[in-house]
Amino acid sequence: MRTWDLTSIDVQPHLPLILSTSDDARAIVLHLPAGEQLQEHEVHERAWVVVVEGEVEVTAVGTGARVAGGPGLTLEFDPGERHEVTAQADARLLLLLTPWPGTGHPGALTLEEKADARENAAEHARR
């Protein structure tokens, strides 16, 4: 058994801390200072976000739905579901991603697929 006290872990803003990684999931804790935002983004995995401390507002980009809350607020996002998170007050968040890595995640690509991805990105940048 491994345990963490999410309220006392030293996690700095802009430096998410990976707590655990396995073939099944990844657990990350992060500190989002008041007024800062995880701008519109998506992940390849199913994601759960749990507010441990502070207050956040979360927007589902596709629908415009918004929810705000503090400790205990838990959100679930489908793989590829675009969203943004804004800290209304200094916030500490637990992020759970499963399966890890998700389909299409760069960590799950073969070396050949990674090379193709680089070539495709370079081609896209030239346009």
Side-chain angles (χ1 to χ4, degrees), residues 71-124:
L73 175 65
T74 303
L75 305 118
E76 180 181 359
F77 299 98
D78 290 332
E81 184 176 354
R82 298 194 65 74
H83 58 281
E84 61 186 25
V85 179
T86 303
Q88 304 301 311
D90 281 358
R92 183 176 294 245
L93 307 171
L94 172 64
L95 174 62
L96 302 171
L97 302 169
T98 186
W100 181 258
T103 302
H105 188 281
L109 299 177
T110 66
L111 292 176
E112 184 177 313
E113 290 169 330
K114 287 180 184 180
D116 289 345
R118 284 188 203 100
E119 288 175 20
N120 292 339
E123 178 63 29
H124 186 289

Side-chain angles (χ1 to χ4, degrees), residues 1-125:
M1 174 173 45
R2 297 172 64 192
T3 66
W4 298 269
D5 178 349
L6 299 178
T7 62
S8 66
I9 290 174
D10 182 25
V11 59
Q12 299 299 311
H14 313 290
L15 296 172
L17 177 64
I18 298 170
L19 299 175
S20 180
T21 299
S22 70
D23 291 339
D24 300 319
R26 176 170 271 188
I28 303 165
V29 64
L30 57 108
H31 175 179
L32 189 60
E36 291 198 16
Q37 183 179 68
L38 297 175
Q39 295 179 344
E40 181 181 333
H41 67 284
E42 64 185 77
V43 294
H44 297 277
E45 302 77 18
R46 179 165 303 279
W48 287 269
V49 177
V50 179
V51 179
V52 177
E53 295 179 335
E55 299 283 330
V56 299
E57 180 177 274
V58 181
T59 303
V61 175
T63 65
R66 292 177 188 257
V67 64
L73 175 65
T74 303
L75 305 118
E76 180 181 359
F77 299 98
D78 290 332
E81 184 176 354
R82 298 194 65 74
H83 58 281
E84 61 186 25
V85 179
T86 303
Q88 304 301 311
D90 281 358
R92 183 176 294 245
L93 307 171
L94 172 64
L95 174 62
L96 302 171
L97 302 169
T98 186
W100 181 258
T103 302
H105 188 281
L109 299 177
T110 66
L111 292 176
E112 184 177 313
E113 290 169 330
K114 287 180 184 180
D116 289 345
R118 284 188 203 100
E119 288 175 20
N120 292 339
E123 178 63 29
H124 186 289

